[in-house]
Amino acid sequence: MRILLVDDEEELAEPLQRILANQGYLVDSANSGDRGWELAQTGDYDLLILDWMMPEKSGVEICSSLRQKGDSTPVLILTAKDTLDDRVAGLDSGADDYLVKPFELRELLARVRALLRRAPSPLALTSEPAKLSYGDLELDRDNQVVYRDQIAIALTEREYQLLEYFMFHPNQLLSHELISQHLWKEGEDAPTSNALAAQIKLLRRKIDRDRQISLINTVYGKGYRFG
């Protein structure tokens, strides 16, 4: 998932960008309204996090301009303005959510997850590939069959879903939380980190076989990286 963070407060924006990246998101940032507007118009993002008060063009102005162009990318407004009238003005601009500074990091991450769940997946908007490949590993999505060095590998449904998710995100850091949200849909009980680790261990055993180097790498304390 790609996020654009636009905020002119470097002491907030820089650590926030790092934290979001550690959660597995791809994050671009801008420290002015004009640069933020320029990036936002590319349409390459799944979520925009916009500070209200910025030089040149405010976050609310960016949001309003995007909505006038028919852009429905989810927008989270960050601001110190906390009156009811301010909240109404922010939401009336077309923003999907509104968070008052200072805020708890956990709350911001929860709102980011909620907005990304509402957003249509970029894959749903394009023609999905019938096959995914990485080196000598190939995943036939039409027939749900996996091959390594042209030898078929039998996977359970959950193992297949997990490998497919990894192969759609090669070389990206994927947190336990992101993986769980993808594999266990809303209403299902999400696994503990130990349960997910066990699932990945079984998948590794099947796709790596006797190879010394695994395609699925553990990034301790953060998640997993495929590739």
Side-chain angles (χ1 to χ4, degrees):
M1 292 287 191
R2 298 184 64 89
I3 295 175
L4 174 61
L5 171 64
V6 186
D7 196 314
D8 64 325
E9 294 182 51
E10 290 187 12
E11 63 274 16
L12 171 66
E14 289 184 3
L16 185 54
Q17 182 177 9
R18 288 197 300 271
I19 289 164
L20 289 167
N22 286 338
Q23 294 293 310
Y25 304 116
L26 298 176
V27 186
D28 291 337
S29 66
N31 60 9
S32 73
D34 281 355
R35 178 57 178 160
W37 170 240
E38 182 182 337
L39 291 172
Q41 291 182 89
T42 65
D44 291 338
Y45 300 100
D46 301 287
L47 172 65
L48 308 178
I49 301 177
L50 309 176
D51 183 39
W52 186 322
M53 300 297 293
M54 287 186 294
E56 299 144 0
K57 197 174 181 73
S58 74
V60 166
E61 289 173 330
I62 292 173
C63 180
S64 180
S65 297
L66 287 171
R67 296 300 185 246
Q68 289 173 16
K69 288 165 58 73
D71 190 320
S72 60
T73 304
V75 172
L76 171 60
I77 294 287
L78 304 181
T79 182
K81 294 173 172 283
D82 62 354
T83 69
L84 178 58
D85 287 344
D86 291 329
R87 291 172 185 268
V88 170
L91 295 172
D92 278 348
S93 73
D96 298 89
D97 204 351
Y98 184 105
L99 189 57
V100 176
K101 300 176 182 178
F103 47 79
E104 289 286 340
L105 180 60
R106 287 186 303 167
E107 182 178 7
L108 177 125
L109 293 176
R111 293 185 185 222
V112 165
R113 292 193 297 270
L115 289 171
L116 288 173
R117 281 198 295 269
R118 295 182 210 165
S121 166
L123 294 173
L125 304 178
T126 61
S127 177
E128 295 189 7
K131 292 184 179 180
L132 301 173
S133 61
Y134 192 98
D136 60 357
L137 182 68
E138 183 178 281
L139 187 147
D140 181 343
R141 301 182 67 236
D142 286 340
N143 299 301
Q144 292 201 352
V145 179
V146 176
Y147 300 90
R148 184 98 194 250
D149 199 18
Q150 299 184 332
I151 299 173
I153 302 171
L155 299 180
T156 65
E157 179 67 20
R158 193 75 81 184
E159 289 167 349
Y160 173 86
Q161 293 172 352
L162 180 57
L163 180 59
E164 182 183 52
Y165 187 59
F166 276 133
M167 293 184 74
F168 265 122
H169 301 84
N171 303 309
Q172 293 182 29
L173 174 61
L174 301 173
S175 68
H176 169 273
E177 199 164 22
L178 281 176
I179 297 170
S180 298
Q181 286 176 3
H182 176 77
L183 293 184
W184 283 266
K185 303 303 182 185
E186 198 166 341
E188 290 186 87
D189 291 331
T192 64
S193 58
N194 288 340
L196 181 58
Q199 188 83 64
I200 288 175
K201 183 177 181 180
L202 292 172
L203 177 60
R204 274 198 189 112
R205 187 180 299 167
K206 291 184 178 182
I207 66 172
D208 292 335
R209 299 201 175 177
D210 298 325
R211 293 171 175 82
Q212 292 185 334
I213 299 177
S214 178
L215 282 174
I216 303 173
N217 304 287
T218 301
V219 182
Y220 290 98
K222 295 182 179 179
Y224 299 91
R225 182 180 285 112
F226 175 83

